[in-house]
Coordinates of all heavy atoms in Angstrom, one line a residue:
P255 N 107.9 66.3 -87.1 CA 107.9 66.6 -88.5 C 108.5 67.9 -88.9 O 108.3 68.9 -88.2 CB 106.4 66.5 -88.8 CG 105.7 66.8 -87.5 CD 106.6 66.2 -86.5
L256 N 109.2 67.9 -90.0 CA 109.8 69.2 -90.5 C 109.0 69.7 -91.7 O 108.8 70.9 -91.8 CB 111.3 68.9 -90.9 CG 112.2 68.5 -89.8 CD1 113.5 68.0 -90.4 CD2 112.5 69.7 -88.9
D257 N 108.7 68.8 -92.7 CA 108.0 69.3 -93.9 C 107.6 68.0 -94.7 O 108.2 67.0 -94.5 CB 108.9 70.2 -94.7 CG 108.2 70.9 -95.8 OD1 106.9 71.1 -95.7 OD2 108.8 71.2 -96.9
D258 N 106.6 68.2 -95.5 CA 106.1 67.2 -96.4 C 106.6 67.6 -97.8 O 106.1 68.6 -98.4 CB 104.6 67.1 -96.3 CG 104.0 65.9 -97.2 OD1 104.8 65.3 -97.9 OD2 102.8 65.7 -97.1
G259 N 107.5 66.9 -98.4 CA 108.1 67.4 -99.7 C 108.5 66.2 -100.5 O 107.9 65.2 -100.5
L260 N 109.6 66.5 -101.3 CA 110.1 65.5 -102.2 C 111.6 65.2 -101.9 O 112.3 66.1 -101.4 CB 110.0 65.9 -103.7 CG 108.6 66.1 -104.2 CD1 108.7 66.7 -105.6 CD2 107.8 64.8 -104.2
M261 N 112.1 64.0 -102.2 CA 113.5 63.7 -102.1 C 114.0 63.0 -103.3 O 113.3 62.3 -104.0 CB 113.8 62.9 -100.8 CG 113.2 61.5 -100.8 SD 113.6 60.5 -99.4 CE 112.6 59.1 -99.5
L262 N 115.3 63.3 -103.6 CA 115.9 62.6 -104.8 C 117.3 62.1 -104.3 O 118.0 62.8 -103.5 CB 116.1 63.6 -106.0 CG 114.8 64.0 -106.7 CD1 114.4 65.4 -106.1 CD2 115.1 64.1 -108.2
W263 N 117.7 61.0 -104.9 CA 119.0 60.4 -104.6 C 119.8 60.1 -105.9 O 119.3 59.6 -106.8 CB 118.7 59.0 -103.9 CG 119.9 58.1 -103.8 CD1 119.9 56.8 -104.3 CD2 121.1 58.3 -103.2 NE1 121.1 56.2 -104.1 CE2 121.9 57.1 -103.4 CE3 121.7 59.4 -102.5 CZ2 123.2 57.0 -102.9 CZ3 123.0 59.2 -102.1 CH2 123.7 58.1 -102.3
F264 N 121.0 60.6 -105.9 CA 121.9 60.5 -107.0 C 123.2 59.9 -106.6 O 124.1 60.6 -106.0 CB 122.2 61.9 -107.6 CG 121.0 62.7 -108.0 CD1 120.4 63.6 -107.1 CD2 120.5 62.6 -109.3 CE1 119.3 64.3 -107.5 CE2 119.3 63.3 -109.6 CZ 118.8 64.2 -108.7
P265 N 123.4 58.6 -106.8 CA 124.7 58.0 -106.4 C 125.8 58.4 -107.3 O 125.7 58.6 -108.5 CB 124.4 56.5 -106.5 CG 123.3 56.4 -107.5 CD 122.5 57.6 -107.4
G266 N 127.0 58.7 -106.6 CA 128.2 59.1 -107.4 C 128.8 57.9 -108.2 O 128.4 56.7 -107.9
P267 N 129.7 58.2 -109.1 CA 130.3 59.5 -109.4 C 129.6 60.3 -110.5 O 130.0 61.4 -110.8 CB 131.7 59.1 -109.8 CG 131.5 57.8 -110.5 CD 130.4 57.1 -109.8
A268 N 128.6 59.7 -111.1 CA 127.9 60.4 -112.2 C 126.9 61.4 -111.6 O 125.7 61.3 -111.9 CB 127.2 59.4 -113.1
T269 N 127.4 62.4 -110.9 CA 126.6 63.4 -110.3 C 127.2 64.8 -110.6 O 128.3 64.9 -111.1 CB 126.4 63.3 -108.8 OG1 127.7 63.4 -108.2 CG2 125.8 61.9 -108.5
A270 N 126.5 65.9 -110.2 CA 127.1 67.2 -110.5 C 128.4 67.4 -109.8 O 129.3 68.1 -110.3 CB 126.1 68.3 -110.0
T271 N 128.6 66.8 -108.6 CA 129.8 67.0 -107.8 C 130.8 65.9 -108.0 O 131.9 66.0 -107.5 CB 129.5 67.2 -106.3 OG1 128.8 66.0 -105.9 CG2 128.6 68.4 -106.1
G272 N 130.3 64.7 -108.6 CA 131.2 63.6 -108.6 C 131.1 62.7 -107.4 O 131.8 61.7 -107.2
E273 N 130.2 63.1 -106.4 CA 130.0 62.4 -105.1 C 128.6 61.9 -105.0 O 127.7 62.3 -105.8 CB 130.4 63.3 -104.0 CG 131.8 63.9 -104.0 CD 131.9 65.0 -102.9 OE1 130.9 65.6 -102.5 OE2 133.1 65.2 -102.5
D274 N 128.3 61.1 -104.0 CA 126.9 60.8 -103.7 C 126.2 62.2 -103.4 O 126.7 63.0 -102.7 CB 126.8 59.9 -102.5 CG 127.3 58.5 -102.8 OD1 127.4 58.2 -104.0 OD2 127.4 57.7 -101.8
L275 N 125.0 62.3 -103.9 CA 124.3 63.6 -103.8 C 122.8 63.3 -103.5 O 122.2 62.4 -104.0 CB 124.4 64.3 -105.2 CG 124.0 65.7 -105.3 CD1 124.9 66.6 -104.5 CD2 123.9 66.2 -106.7
A276 N 122.3 64.2 -102.6 CA 120.8 64.1 -102.3 C 120.2 65.5 -102.4 O 120.9 66.5 -102.1 CB 120.6 63.5 -100.9
E277 N 119.0 65.5 -102.7 CA 118.3 66.8 -102.8 C 117.0 66.7 -102.0 O 116.2 65.7 -102.1 CB 117.9 67.2 -104.2 CG 119.2 67.7 -105.0 CD 118.8 68.3 -106.3 OE1 117.6 68.2 -106.7 OE2 119.7 68.7 -107.1
L278 N 116.7 67.7 -101.2 CA 115.4 67.8 -100.4 C 114.7 69.0 -101.0 O 115.1 70.1 -101.0 CB 115.7 68.0 -99.0 CG 116.8 67.2 -98.3 CD1 116.9 67.6 -96.8 CD2 116.4 65.7 -98.4
H279 N 113.5 68.7 -101.6 CA 112.6 69.7 -102.2 C 111.5 70.0 -101.1 O 110.7 69.2 -100.8 CB 112.0 69.2 -103.5 CG 113.1 69.1 -104.6 ND1 112.9 69.5 -105.9 CD2 114.3 68.5 -104.6 CE1 113.9 69.3 -106.6 NE2 114.8 68.7 -105.8
L280 N 111.6 71.3 -100.7 CA 110.8 71.7 -99.5 C 109.8 72.8 -99.9 O 110.0 73.4 -100.9 CB 111.7 72.1 -98.4 CG 112.9 71.3 -98.0 CD1 113.8 72.0 -97.1 CD2 112.4 69.9 -97.4
H281 N 108.9 73.1 -99.0 CA 108.1 74.3 -99.1 C 109.1 75.5 -98.8 O 110.0 75.3 -97.9 CB 106.9 74.3 -98.1 CG 105.9 73.4 -98.5 ND1 105.8 72.1 -98.0 CD2 104.8 73.5 -99.4 CE1 104.8 71.5 -98.6 NE2 104.2 72.3 -99.4
G282 N 109.0 76.6 -99.5 CA 110.0 77.6 -99.4 C 109.9 78.7 -98.4 O 110.5 79.8 -98.6
G283 N 109.3 78.4 -97.3 CA 109.2 79.3 -96.2 C 110.5 79.4 -95.4 O 111.3 78.4 -95.3
R284 N 110.8 80.5 -94.8 CA 112.1 80.7 -94.0 C 112.1 79.7 -92.9 O 113.2 79.1 -92.6 CB 112.2 82.1 -93.5 CG 112.4 83.2 -94.5 CD 112.8 84.5 -93.9 NE 113.0 85.5 -94.9 CZ 112.1 86.4 -95.4 NH1 110.9 86.3 -95.0 NH2 112.4 87.2 -96.3
A285 N 111.0 79.5 -92.2 CA 111.0 78.6 -91.0 C 111.3 77.2 -91.4 O 112.0 76.5 -90.7 CB 109.7 78.8 -90.2
V286 N 110.7 76.8 -92.5 CA 110.9 75.4 -93.0 C 112.4 75.2 -93.3 O 113.0 74.2 -92.9 CB 110.1 75.1 -94.2 CG1 110.4 73.8 -94.8 CG2 108.6 75.2 -93.9
V287 N 113.0 76.1 -94.1 CA 114.4 75.9 -94.5 C 115.3 75.9 -93.3 O 116.2 75.1 -93.1 CB 114.8 77.0 -95.5 CG1 116.3 77.0 -95.8 CG2 114.0 76.9 -96.8
A288 N 115.0 76.9 -92.3 CA 115.9 77.0 -91.1 C 115.8 75.7 -90.3 O 116.8 75.2 -89.8 CB 115.4 78.2 -90.3
A289 N 114.6 75.1 -90.2 CA 114.4 73.9 -89.4 C 115.1 72.7 -90.0 O 115.8 71.9 -89.3 CB 112.9 73.6 -89.2
V290 N 115.1 72.6 -91.3 CA 115.7 71.5 -92.0 C 117.2 71.7 -91.9 O 118.0 70.7 -91.7 CB 115.3 71.4 -93.5 CG1 116.2 70.5 -94.3 CG2 113.8 71.0 -93.6
E291 N 117.7 72.9 -92.0 CA 119.2 73.1 -91.9 C 119.7 72.8 -90.5 O 120.8 72.2 -90.3 CB 119.5 74.5 -92.3 CG 119.4 74.8 -93.8 CD 119.9 76.2 -94.2 OE1 119.8 77.1 -93.3 OE2 120.3 76.4 -95.3
R292 N 118.9 73.1 -89.5 CA 119.2 72.7 -88.1 C 119.3 71.2 -87.9 O 120.2 70.7 -87.3 CB 118.3 73.3 -87.1 CG 118.4 74.8 -86.8 CD 117.7 75.2 -85.6 NE 116.3 75.0 -85.7 CZ 115.3 75.8 -86.2 NH1 115.7 77.0 -86.6 NH2 114.1 75.5 -86.2
A293 N 118.4 70.5 -88.5 CA 118.3 69.1 -88.4 C 119.6 68.5 -89.1 O 120.2 67.5 -88.7 CB 117.0 68.5 -89.0
L294 N 119.9 69.0 -90.3 CA 121.1 68.5 -91.0 C 122.4 68.8 -90.2 O 123.3 67.9 -90.1 CB 121.2 69.2 -92.4 CG 120.1 68.8 -93.4 CD1 120.2 69.6 -94.6 CD2 120.3 67.3 -93.8
A295 N 122.5 70.0 -89.7 CA 123.7 70.3 -88.9 C 123.9 69.4 -87.7 O 125.0 69.3 -87.2 CB 123.7 71.8 -88.5
A296 N 122.8 68.9 -87.2 CA 122.9 68.0 -86.0 C 123.3 66.6 -86.3 O 123.7 65.9 -85.4 CB 121.5 68.0 -85.3
L297 N 123.3 66.3 -87.6 CA 123.8 64.9 -88.0 C 125.3 64.8 -87.9 O 126.0 65.8 -88.3 CB 123.2 64.6 -89.4 CG 121.7 64.5 -89.5 CD1 121.3 64.2 -91.0 CD2 121.2 63.3 -88.6

């Protein structure tokens, strides 16, 4: 487990970037953010 939070899914092109977009809403501690970023970089 990394964190218990919220997720949102925005299919493109009607998004802020014009692409498929996802948001992960997390607890804002440094360790939580760092762990999630490591998990993303591994994908």
